[in-house]
């Protein structure tokens, strides 16, 4: 039996003979328990799924006692896996308060009682769903690859897109870059590469495959950003390659040797260039919540040898450093203004990527590394945040670790962030969550809870691009595959976009 839990009953809960009980005889430790995942002294949303954990190292038995306002809840076994119904009752009672947690572990006949810790329950709820790509940490192939969605209120996980449904013999398919308009699962997009490639756009029940390859565009769309209200997506268009390091701990380097930005009208199937300067590498567009400002990153890079751009950028890849810029946007005319510098990372001899704006428009979170664009492969990449009111930028010390922090997203109420981190083992990215208060103060992150606390250690997949959603995607994976197997609608290039009805 993996778990035994005694329900929360009233003033004081006493263990019965058939259930776990707190040992009377134990050695008291002044140390916090070494548990995995590490949920000691974290802040969680009131609607989060039960936080299960196990002892690091060998333990024959573990018991946890949760205490709140004179009531106790005792749970134990070979791991701590609270009952879902009792957990919800506990979280509801603890809303805006802290639950005291005491952990006792048995090794042979000896029990150890560890220093208590707390779980603070924020009254701020979290969006009930996230989605992410699950991909093996492989460098040259992808084989089985899915975009999944997971309910944060329980452990329900479902597949959105399965690349194996479009695989044929040796012809594989990569799927990536899922993105939503305002957390709406009915308005989403993702890309498919290689076999049956194209961009799939789902918009209020209609699913289409778009062929964005066009002689007037650098490439098909890559990194997307839905406008908050208009049927408009801004993409970066990138020519990307990767190289392998021989001795560098970062293993590989992924880089652009050319990139631009384009705007795409979903309803008219029209696209136009926003930036088309070969000396600027523009990537990672991101809209402000009011839809009147577009943020993005750009690196200035001038080739000295125009005969072989690929070789030159490989040779000079540590010189490629990205700053954060913005462009004003007029929704009435669909026109963009000149670029404005927001954050000069090069002045710090650094590179800034992945800007994401909080829903209240006050904070801009981004990833910072020593150089380059693909910080997910940089072990020294950290998360930073800019207060757009004051212009002050600083590292998010509470969130960062000694390993990679990269992709991140804000919840719809702006009180939570999810980000990818390799802090567990240095090889696999996993989703972590943290509370951000109205002044930008962050709490200690906690890992995505699973029914089996050892699940992530057994799952040989990376979580890529975690995105919050208000509800699950209801389109079946086979329906997406059927669309992908058809012909894509060729995108129409136009010199500039026309004004459109934002209520479409």
């Amino acid at each position: 039996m993996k778990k035994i839990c005694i329900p929360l009953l009233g003033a004081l809960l006493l263990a019965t003979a058939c259930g776990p009980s707190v040992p009377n005889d134990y050695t008291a430790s002044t140390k916090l328990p070494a548990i995995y995942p590490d949920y000691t002294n974290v802040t969680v949303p009131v609607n989060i799924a039960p936080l299960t954990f196990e002892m690091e190292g060998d333990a024959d038995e573990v018991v946890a006692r949760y205490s709140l306002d004179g009531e106790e809840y005792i749970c134990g076994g070979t791991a701590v896996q609270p009952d879902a119904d009792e957990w919800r009752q506990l979280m509801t009672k603890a809303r805006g308060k802290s639950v005291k947690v005491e952990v006792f572990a048995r090794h042979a006949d000896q029990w150890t009682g560890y220093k208590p810790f707390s779980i603070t329950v924020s009254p701020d709820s979290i969006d009930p769903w996230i989605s992410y790509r699950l991909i093996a940490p492989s460098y040259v192939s992808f084989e089985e690859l899915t975009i999944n969605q997971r309910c944060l209120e329980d452990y329900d996980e479902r597949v959105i897109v399965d690349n194996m449904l479009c695989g044929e013999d040796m012809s594989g398919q990569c799927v990536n870059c899922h993105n939503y308009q305002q957390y709406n699962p009915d308005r989403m997009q993702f890309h498919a590469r290689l076999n049956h490639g194209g961009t799939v756009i789902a918009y209020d029940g209609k699913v289409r495959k778009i062929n964005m390859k066009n002689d007037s565009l650098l490439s098909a769309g890559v990194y997307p950003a839905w406008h908050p209200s208009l049927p408009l997506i801004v993409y970066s268009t990138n020519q990307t390659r990767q190289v392998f390091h021989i001795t560098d701990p970062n293993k590989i380097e992924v880089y652009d040797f050319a990139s631009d930005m384009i705007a795409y009208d979903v309803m008219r199937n029209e696209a136009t260039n926003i930036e088309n300067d070969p000396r600027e590498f523009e990537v990672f567009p991101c809209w402000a919540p009011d839809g009147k400002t577009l943020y993005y990153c750009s690196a200035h890079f001038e080739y000295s040898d125009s005969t072989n751009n690929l070789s030159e950028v490989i040779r000079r890849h540590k010189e490629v450093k990205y700053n954060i810029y913005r462009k004003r946007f007029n929704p009435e005319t669909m026109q963009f203004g000149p670029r404005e510098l927001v954050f000069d990372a090069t002045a710090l001899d650094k590179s800034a990527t992945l800007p994401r704006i909080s829903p209240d428009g006050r904070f801009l979170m981004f990833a910072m590394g020593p150089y380059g664009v693909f910080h997910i492969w940089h072990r020294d990449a950290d998360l930073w945040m800019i207060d757009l009111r004051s212009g002050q930028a600083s590292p998010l010390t509470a969130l960062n670790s000694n390993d990679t922090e990269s992709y991140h997203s804000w919840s719809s109420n702006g009180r939570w962030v999810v980000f990818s981190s390799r802090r567990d083992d240095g090889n696999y990215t996993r989703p972590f969550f943290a509370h951000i208060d109205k002044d930008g103060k962050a709490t200690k992150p906690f890992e995505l809870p699973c029914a089996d606390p050892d699940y992530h250690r057994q799952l040989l997949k990376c979580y890529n691009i975690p995105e919050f959603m208000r509800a699950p995607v209801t389109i079946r994976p086979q329906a997406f595959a059927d669309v992908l197997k058809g012909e894509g609608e060729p995108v129409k290039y136009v010199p500039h976009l026309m004004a459109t009805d934002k209520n479409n």
Side-chain angles (χ1 to χ4, degrees):
M1 183 182 297
K2 189 78 171 182
K3 67 171 182 178
I4 304 175
C5 297
I6 299 178
L8 185 66
L9 295 177
L12 181 63
L13 187 69
L14 299 177
T16 62
C18 61
S21 60
V22 173
N24 294 319
D25 185 15
Y26 61 86
T27 300
S29 173
T30 59
K31 297 180 180 180
L32 288 171
I35 60 174
Y36 176 80
D38 179 12
Y39 292 136
T40 60
N41 300 320
V42 296
T43 297
V44 301
V46 66
N47 59 327
I48 196 67
L51 305 184
T52 67
F53 62 85
E54 60 189 0
M55 296 297 296
E56 292 277 22
D58 295 327
D60 298 312
E61 188 177 357
V62 59
V63 170
R65 175 166 59 191
Y66 301 82
S67 304
L68 174 70
D69 296 339
E71 298 181 346
E72 293 182 355
Y73 171 45
I74 300 174
C75 184
T78 57
V80 173
Q81 297 168 287
D83 175 79
D85 291 336
E86 298 300 332
W87 177 265
R88 279 191 288 270
Q89 292 180 33
L90 180 63
M91 292 295 99
T92 300
K93 290 175 179 288
R95 187 182 187 119
K97 303 177 184 179
S98 292
V99 177
K100 179 182 177 182
V101 185
E102 299 165 273
V103 174
F104 305 84
R106 180 175 63 83
H107 297 81
D109 296 328
Q110 179 63 51
W111 282 92
T112 301
Y114 294 91
K115 179 181 178 181
F117 62 89
S118 64
I119 296 176
T120 300
V121 182
S122 171
D124 298 319
S125 61
I126 199 167
D127 293 292
W129 289 83
I130 60 168
S131 59
Y132 39 79
R133 183 172 65 158
L134 285 180
I135 181 171
S138 173
Y139 312 123
V140 294
S141 64
F142 25 82
E143 296 183 352
E144 180 187 10
L145 191 159
T146 60
I147 298 175
N148 285 20
Q149 55 191 346
R150 160 71 194 275
C151 181
L152 296 178
E153 298 178 338
D154 54 36
Y155 309 120
D156 184 12
E157 184 178 37
R158 311 171 191 175
V159 173
I160 300 175
V161 181
D162 185 347
N163 75 327
M164 299 299 284
L165 295 177
C166 288
E168 298 173 0
D169 298 324
M170 298 300 291
S171 299
Q173 183 189 63
C174 177
V175 292
N176 56 16
C177 296
H178 52 284
N179 192 257
Y180 308 89
Q181 184 180 47
Q182 286 295 86
Y183 310 92
N184 184 352
D186 295 327
R187 296 183 176 184
M188 69 169 293
Q189 77 94 63
F190 67 91
H191 301 306
R193 310 293 186 197
L194 303 179
N195 194 43
H196 298 301
T199 295
V200 174
I201 296 178
Y203 198 86
D204 294 348
K206 184 178 181 180
V207 184
R208 301 152 57 207
K209 177 182 175 181
I210 308 300
N211 178 6
M212 287 196 175
K213 294 181 179 179
N214 186 284
D215 291 341
S216 297
L217 305 176
L218 178 65
S219 73
V222 181
Y223 302 116
W226 277 90
H227 189 274
S229 58
L230 298 174
L232 173 69
I233 306 174
V234 169
Y235 293 97
S236 65
T237 54
N238 307 64
Q239 294 183 356
T240 304
R241 294 292 186 274
Q242 69 178 11
V243 294
F244 292 82
H245 293 298
I246 297 175
T247 59
D248 195 300
N250 286 331
K251 299 179 182 178
I252 68 172
E253 189 64 38
V254 178
Y255 54 87
D256 290 337
F257 63 96
S259 57
D260 288 326
M261 284 198 305
I262 65 172
Y264 172 72
D265 187 316
V266 173
M267 305 304 290
R268 293 190 172 97
N269 191 30
E270 296 176 345
T272 190
N273 285 300
I274 300 174
E275 289 286 327
N276 196 15
D277 186 342
R279 301 168 302 174
E280 296 292 328
F281 296 170
E282 299 94 0
V283 294
F284 299 126
C286 171
W287 288 100
D290 63 4
K292 296 181 179 180
T293 307
L294 179 73
Y295 290 81
Y296 64 99
C297 300
S298 183
H300 184 80
F301 189 87
E302 297 189 25
Y303 289 102
S304 59
D305 179 7
S306 59
T307 60
N308 196 331
N309 289 354
L310 184 58
S311 295
E312 183 170 353
V313 79
I314 292 174
R315 186 173 67 253
R316 298 171 54 196
H317 70 275
K318 289 190 176 182
E319 298 177 30
V320 182
K321 300 177 190 292
Y322 290 77
N323 293 325
I324 299 176
Y325 295 89
R326 67 185 174 201
K327 283 178 171 288
R328 307 296 181 180
F329 175 71
N330 187 330
E332 302 300 325
T333 63
M334 302 288 281
Q335 297 300 302
F336 293 89
R339 78 175 189 175
E340 306 168 16
L341 180 64
V342 176
F343 180 72
D344 188 354
T346 59
L348 302 175
D349 198 26
K350 297 289 186 180
S351 182
T353 65
L354 294 164
R356 302 298 289 265
I357 312 295
S358 61
D360 62 4
R362 179 175 175 181
F363 298 107
L364 185 157
M365 189 178 295
F366 63 98
M368 182 103 95
Y371 58 87
V373 68
F374 219 64
H375 288 345
I376 195 170
W377 285 115
H378 292 168
R379 298 186 66 180
D380 43 12
D382 284 332
L383 295 178
W384 280 55
M385 194 153 70
I386 302 172
D387 186 334
L388 294 175
R389 290 183 187 174
S390 65
Q392 182 68 35
S394 57
L396 283 162
T397 306
L399 271 57
N400 293 324
S401 70
N402 292 327
D403 218 298
T404 305
E405 271 72 52
S406 56
Y407 289 110
H408 48 279
S409 300
W410 292 88
S411 66
S412 61
N413 62 8
R415 294 282 74 90
W416 300 94
V417 292
V418 59
F419 62 95
S420 295
S421 178
R422 287 189 170 156
R423 66 187 63 198
D424 280 348
D425 53 31
N427 293 310
Y428 293 90
T429 53
R430 296 175 179 120
F432 284 77
F433 302 83
H435 186 265
I436 308 288
D437 70 14
K438 62 181 180 61
D439 297 316
K441 184 179 179 181
T443 60
K444 176 182 175 179
F446 66 93
E447 192 166 340
L448 174 70
C450 299
D452 181 350
D454 204 45
Y455 177 74
H456 283 151
R457 287 173 162 170
Q458 300 178 37
L459 177 69
L460 303 182
K461 294 287 183 71
C462 291
Y463 289 78
N464 185 238
I465 315 180
E467 293 277 353
F468 283 108
M469 307 147 67
R470 297 183 188 274
V473 174
T474 57
I475 300 169
R476 295 179 298 107
Q478 187 61 58
F480 280 129
D482 291 343
V483 171
L484 279 168
K485 290 177 182 177
E487 292 296 321
E489 301 175 36
V491 70
K492 294 175 285 186
Y493 181 81
V494 294
H496 57 82
L497 297 183
M498 298 175 59
T500 187
D501 181 0
K502 69 179 181 179
N503 294 318
N504 282 345

